[in-house]
mmCIF file of all heavy atoms in Angstrom:
data_model
loop_
_atom_site.group_PDB
_atom_site.id
_atom_site.type_symbol
_atom_site.label_atom_id
_atom_site.label_comp_id
_atom_site.label_asym_id
_atom_site.label_seq_id
_atom_site.Cartn_x
_atom_site.Cartn_y
_atom_site.Cartn_z
ATOM 1 N N ILE I 80 1.702 18.507 -17.326
ATOM 2 C CA ILE I 80 1.733 17.092 -17.727
ATOM 3 C C ILE I 80 0.975 16.256 -16.662
ATOM 4 O O ILE I 80 0.194 15.383 -16.995
ATOM 5 C CB ILE I 80 3.218 16.638 -17.828
ATOM 6 C CG1 ILE I 80 3.867 17.291 -19.011
ATOM 7 C CG2 ILE I 80 3.293 15.088 -17.997
ATOM 8 C CD1 ILE I 80 3.421 16.898 -20.372
ATOM 9 N N ILE I 81 1.147 16.577 -15.410
ATOM 10 C CA ILE I 81 0.428 15.857 -14.340
ATOM 11 C C ILE I 81 -1.048 16.101 -14.411
ATOM 12 O O ILE I 81 -1.919 15.197 -14.266
ATOM 13 C CB ILE I 81 1.004 16.231 -12.915
ATOM 14 C CG1 ILE I 81 2.384 15.745 -12.830
ATOM 15 C CG2 ILE I 81 0.071 15.766 -11.799
ATOM 16 C CD1 ILE I 81 3.180 16.278 -11.630
ATOM 17 N N LEU I 82 -1.452 17.382 -14.713
ATOM 18 C CA LEU I 82 -2.862 17.648 -14.866
ATOM 19 C C LEU I 82 -3.510 16.892 -16.062
ATOM 20 O O LEU I 82 -4.549 16.443 -15.993
ATOM 21 C CB LEU I 82 -3.090 19.156 -15.030
ATOM 22 C CG LEU I 82 -2.909 20.008 -13.781
ATOM 23 C CD1 LEU I 82 -2.893 21.458 -14.092
ATOM 24 C CD2 LEU I 82 -3.976 19.630 -12.736
ATOM 25 N N LEU I 83 -2.665 16.805 -17.185
ATOM 26 C CA LEU I 83 -3.186 16.087 -18.301
ATOM 27 C C LEU I 83 -3.273 14.616 -17.944
ATOM 28 O O LEU I 83 -4.325 13.929 -18.344
ATOM 29 C CB LEU I 83 -2.198 16.242 -19.480
ATOM 30 C CG LEU I 83 -2.573 15.548 -20.805
ATOM 31 C CD1 LEU I 83 -3.894 15.967 -21.260
ATOM 32 C CD2 LEU I 83 -1.448 15.796 -21.787
ATOM 33 N N ALA I 84 -2.378 14.019 -17.237
ATOM 34 C CA ALA I 84 -2.497 12.632 -16.790
ATOM 35 C C ALA I 84 -3.738 12.398 -15.905
ATOM 36 O O ALA I 84 -4.425 11.427 -15.978
ATOM 37 C CB ALA I 84 -1.285 12.203 -16.038
ATOM 38 N N SER I 85 -3.985 13.410 -15.059
ATOM 39 C CA SER I 85 -5.196 13.355 -14.172
ATOM 40 C C SER I 85 -6.457 13.335 -14.974
ATOM 41 O O SER I 85 -7.447 12.623 -14.660
ATOM 42 C CB SER I 85 -5.187 14.514 -13.206
ATOM 43 O OG SER I 85 -6.391 14.626 -12.464
ATOM 44 N N TRP I 86 -6.449 14.082 -16.071
ATOM 45 C CA TRP I 86 -7.613 14.154 -16.963
ATOM 46 C C TRP I 86 -7.832 12.810 -17.785
ATOM 47 O O TRP I 86 -8.903 12.392 -18.031
ATOM 48 C CB TRP I 86 -7.456 15.336 -17.942
ATOM 49 C CG TRP I 86 -8.570 15.530 -18.827
ATOM 50 C CD1 TRP I 86 -9.876 15.984 -18.566
ATOM 51 C CD2 TRP I 86 -8.627 15.246 -20.292
ATOM 52 N NE1 TRP I 86 -10.622 16.033 -19.711
ATOM 53 C CE2 TRP I 86 -9.900 15.612 -20.733
ATOM 54 C CE3 TRP I 86 -7.638 14.772 -21.161
ATOM 55 C CZ2 TRP I 86 -10.279 15.458 -22.054
ATOM 56 C CZ3 TRP I 86 -8.010 14.712 -22.502
ATOM 57 C CH2 TRP I 86 -9.241 14.978 -22.940
ATOM 58 N N LEU I 87 -6.647 12.191 -18.074
ATOM 59 C CA LEU I 87 -6.660 10.965 -18.919
ATOM 60 C C LEU I 87 -6.937 9.706 -18.203
ATOM 61 O O LEU I 87 -7.545 8.778 -18.716
ATOM 62 C CB LEU I 87 -5.286 10.855 -19.630
ATOM 63 C CG LEU I 87 -5.034 11.890 -20.778
ATOM 64 C CD1 LEU I 87 -3.616 11.647 -21.244
ATOM 65 C CD2 LEU I 87 -6.019 11.654 -21.899
ATOM 66 N N VAL I 88 -6.510 9.621 -16.910
ATOM 67 C CA VAL I 88 -6.586 8.392 -16.184
ATOM 68 C C VAL I 88 -7.681 8.412 -15.127
ATOM 69 O O VAL I 88 -7.638 9.209 -14.165
ATOM 70 C CB VAL I 88 -5.233 8.091 -15.451
ATOM 71 C CG1 VAL I 88 -5.326 6.831 -14.544
ATOM 72 C CG2 VAL I 88 -4.066 8.104 -16.410
ATOM 73 N N PRO I 89 -8.693 7.538 -15.364
ATOM 74 C CA PRO I 89 -9.750 7.523 -14.296
ATOM 75 C C PRO I 89 -9.204 6.809 -13.043
ATOM 76 O O PRO I 89 -8.346 5.968 -13.121
ATOM 77 C CB PRO I 89 -10.819 6.590 -14.955
ATOM 78 C CG PRO I 89 -10.242 6.000 -16.108
ATOM 79 C CD PRO I 89 -8.957 6.719 -16.488
ATOM 80 N N GLY I 90 -9.601 7.327 -11.957
ATOM 81 C CA GLY I 90 -9.057 6.830 -10.650
ATOM 82 C C GLY I 90 -7.853 7.588 -10.164
ATOM 83 O O GLY I 90 -7.325 7.299 -9.111
ATOM 84 N N PHE I 91 -7.444 8.560 -10.930
ATOM 85 C CA PHE I 91 -6.395 9.477 -10.490
ATOM 86 C C PHE I 91 -6.921 10.893 -10.542
ATOM 87 O O PHE I 91 -7.359 11.352 -11.593
ATOM 88 C CB PHE I 91 -5.142 9.294 -11.438
ATOM 89 C CG PHE I 91 -3.994 10.346 -11.164
ATOM 90 C CD1 PHE I 91 -3.457 10.403 -9.894
ATOM 91 C CD2 PHE I 91 -3.542 11.107 -12.157
ATOM 92 C CE1 PHE I 91 -2.401 11.257 -9.684
ATOM 93 C CE2 PHE I 91 -2.500 11.983 -11.921
ATOM 94 C CZ PHE I 91 -1.920 12.064 -10.673
ATOM 95 N N HIS I 92 -6.904 11.558 -9.411
ATOM 96 C CA HIS I 92 -7.522 12.885 -9.351
ATOM 97 C C HIS I 92 -6.583 13.832 -8.607
ATOM 98 O O HIS I 92 -5.999 13.576 -7.576
ATOM 99 C CB HIS I 92 -8.821 12.842 -8.497
ATOM 100 C CG HIS I 92 -9.416 14.196 -8.374
ATOM 101 N ND1 HIS I 92 -10.042 14.896 -9.415
ATOM 102 C CD2 HIS I 92 -9.535 15.032 -7.307
ATOM 103 C CE1 HIS I 92 -10.493 16.083 -8.975
ATOM 104 N NE2 HIS I 92 -10.185 16.132 -7.633
ATOM 105 N N VAL I 93 -6.403 15.033 -9.262
ATOM 106 C CA VAL I 93 -5.585 16.107 -8.710
ATOM 107 C C VAL I 93 -6.559 17.269 -8.616
ATOM 108 O O VAL I 93 -7.169 17.676 -9.590
ATOM 109 C CB VAL I 93 -4.423 16.420 -9.624
ATOM 110 C CG1 VAL I 93 -3.567 17.550 -9.048
ATOM 111 C CG2 VAL I 93 -3.572 15.194 -9.787
ATOM 112 N N ALA I 94 -6.601 17.885 -7.436
ATOM 113 C CA ALA I 94 -7.566 18.958 -7.154
ATOM 114 C C ALA I 94 -7.452 20.136 -8.002
ATOM 115 O O ALA I 94 -8.389 20.683 -8.522
ATOM 116 C CB ALA I 94 -7.532 19.282 -5.687
ATOM 117 N N ASP I 95 -6.214 20.676 -8.096
ATOM 118 C CA ASP I 95 -6.036 21.874 -8.912
ATOM 119 C C ASP I 95 -4.535 22.027 -9.266
ATOM 120 O O ASP I 95 -3.725 21.160 -9.066
ATOM 121 C CB ASP I 95 -6.487 23.132 -8.172
ATOM 122 C CG ASP I 95 -5.755 23.349 -6.824
ATOM 123 O OD1 ASP I 95 -4.680 22.811 -6.624
ATOM 124 O OD2 ASP I 95 -6.328 24.126 -6.008
ATOM 125 N N PHE I 96 -4.188 23.127 -9.900
ATOM 126 C CA PHE I 96 -2.849 23.428 -10.427
ATOM 127 C C PHE I 96 -1.808 23.302 -9.269
ATOM 128 O O PHE I 96 -0.755 22.672 -9.452
ATOM 129 C CB PHE I 96 -2.787 24.788 -11.014
ATOM 130 C CG PHE I 96 -1.437 25.234 -11.587
ATOM 131 C CD1 PHE I 96 -1.107 24.822 -12.838
ATOM 132 C CD2 PHE I 96 -0.565 25.872 -10.810
ATOM 133 C CE1 PHE I 96 0.149 25.245 -13.337
ATOM 134 C CE2 PHE I 96 0.715 26.287 -11.267
ATOM 135 C CZ PHE I 96 1.076 25.919 -12.592
ATOM 136 N N TRP I 97 -2.115 23.859 -8.089
ATOM 137 C CA TRP I 97 -1.088 23.928 -6.994
ATOM 138 C C TRP I 97 -0.870 22.517 -6.457
ATOM 139 O O TRP I 97 0.271 22.201 -6.084
ATOM 140 C CB TRP I 97 -1.551 24.885 -5.992
ATOM 141 C CG TRP I 97 -1.647 26.316 -6.532
ATOM 142 C CD1 TRP I 97 -2.755 26.994 -6.825
ATOM 143 C CD2 TRP I 97 -0.545 27.080 -7.010
ATOM 144 N NE1 TRP I 97 -2.419 28.203 -7.397
ATOM 145 C CE2 TRP I 97 -1.083 28.270 -7.554
ATOM 146 C CE3 TRP I 97 0.841 26.914 -7.092
ATOM 147 C CZ2 TRP I 97 -0.283 29.280 -8.093
ATOM 148 C CZ3 TRP I 97 1.590 27.974 -7.637
ATOM 149 C CH2 TRP I 97 1.039 29.119 -8.153
ATOM 150 N N TRP I 98 -1.938 21.712 -6.336
ATOM 151 C CA TRP I 98 -1.748 20.328 -5.866
ATOM 152 C C TRP I 98 -0.951 19.545 -6.883
ATOM 153 O O TRP I 98 -0.106 18.676 -6.509
ATOM 154 C CB TRP I 98 -3.088 19.692 -5.595
ATOM 155 C CG TRP I 98 -3.701 20.098 -4.314
ATOM 156 C CD1 TRP I 98 -4.860 20.844 -4.186
ATOM 157 C CD2 TRP I 98 -3.280 19.808 -3.007
ATOM 158 N NE1 TRP I 98 -5.150 21.043 -2.846
ATOM 159 C CE2 TRP I 98 -4.140 20.441 -2.096
ATOM 160 C CE3 TRP I 98 -2.171 19.118 -2.528
ATOM 161 C CZ2 TRP I 98 -4.000 20.397 -0.716
ATOM 162 C CZ3 TRP I 98 -2.009 19.133 -1.108
ATOM 163 C CH2 TRP I 98 -2.928 19.719 -0.241
ATOM 164 N N ALA I 99 -1.211 19.825 -8.222
ATOM 165 C CA ALA I 99 -0.401 19.078 -9.208
ATOM 166 C C ALA I 99 1.091 19.522 -9.098
ATOM 167 O O ALA I 99 2.002 18.673 -9.264
ATOM 168 C CB ALA I 99 -0.935 19.429 -10.602
ATOM 169 N N MET I 100 1.331 20.817 -8.878
ATOM 170 C CA MET I 100 2.746 21.263 -8.713
ATOM 171 C C MET I 100 3.408 20.593 -7.510
ATOM 172 O O MET I 100 4.516 20.074 -7.599
ATOM 173 C CB MET I 100 2.810 22.758 -8.595
ATOM 174 C CG MET I 100 4.177 23.335 -8.525
ATOM 175 S SD MET I 100 4.294 25.092 -8.356
ATOM 176 C CE MET I 100 3.872 25.513 -10.114
ATOM 177 N N GLY I 101 2.624 20.532 -6.380
ATOM 178 C CA GLY I 101 3.214 19.840 -5.214
ATOM 179 C C GLY I 101 3.447 18.378 -5.432
ATOM 180 O O GLY I 101 4.426 17.794 -5.005
ATOM 181 N N PHE I 102 2.474 17.756 -6.123
ATOM 182 C CA PHE I 102 2.662 16.337 -6.455
ATOM 183 C C PHE I 102 3.875 16.069 -7.303
ATOM 184 O O PHE I 102 4.625 15.133 -7.068
ATOM 185 C CB PHE I 102 1.371 15.869 -7.257
ATOM 186 C CG PHE I 102 1.378 14.392 -7.644
ATOM 187 C CD1 PHE I 102 1.184 13.413 -6.700
ATOM 188 C CD2 PHE I 102 1.645 14.024 -8.908
ATOM 189 C CE1 PHE I 102 1.212 12.081 -7.046
ATOM 190 C CE2 PHE I 102 1.720 12.694 -9.299
ATOM 191 C CZ PHE I 102 1.452 11.712 -8.368
ATOM 192 N N GLY I 103 4.198 16.947 -8.259
ATOM 193 C CA GLY I 103 5.327 16.831 -9.104
ATOM 194 C C GLY I 103 6.607 16.929 -8.309
ATOM 195 O O GLY I 103 7.619 16.189 -8.501
ATOM 196 N N ILE I 104 6.637 17.918 -7.331
ATOM 197 C CA ILE I 104 7.838 18.133 -6.547
ATOM 198 C C ILE I 104 8.016 16.911 -5.622
ATOM 199 O O ILE I 104 9.137 16.464 -5.470
ATOM 200 C CB ILE I 104 7.715 19.471 -5.765
ATOM 201 C CG1 ILE I 104 7.753 20.602 -6.781
ATOM 202 C CG2 ILE I 104 8.729 19.584 -4.712
ATOM 203 C CD1 ILE I 104 7.425 21.981 -6.212
ATOM 204 N N VAL I 105 6.943 16.489 -4.953
ATOM 205 C CA VAL I 105 7.090 15.365 -4.008
ATOM 206 C C VAL I 105 7.422 14.132 -4.771
ATOM 207 O O VAL I 105 8.300 13.291 -4.306
ATOM 208 C CB VAL I 105 5.737 15.133 -3.300
ATOM 209 C CG1 VAL I 105 5.714 13.851 -2.486
ATOM 210 C CG2 VAL I 105 5.487 16.329 -2.359
ATOM 211 N N LEU I 106 6.870 13.898 -5.961
ATOM 212 C CA LEU I 106 7.213 12.753 -6.794
ATOM 213 C C LEU I 106 8.695 12.756 -7.199
ATOM 214 O O LEU I 106 9.375 11.736 -7.160
ATOM 215 C CB LEU I 106 6.337 12.696 -8.033
ATOM 216 C CG LEU I 106 6.297 11.468 -8.889
ATOM 217 C CD1 LEU I 106 5.728 10.292 -8.060
ATOM 218 C CD2 LEU I 106 5.420 11.658 -10.109
#
Side-chain angles (χ1 to χ4, degrees):
I80 294 292
I81 290 167
L82 287 171
L83 180 58
S85 172
W86 182 71
L87 290 172
V88 179
F91 175 56
H92 176 73
V93 180
D95 61 17
F96 179 87
W97 299 109
W98 284 111
M100 184 178 285
F102 180 76
I104 292 168
V105 170
L106 193 61

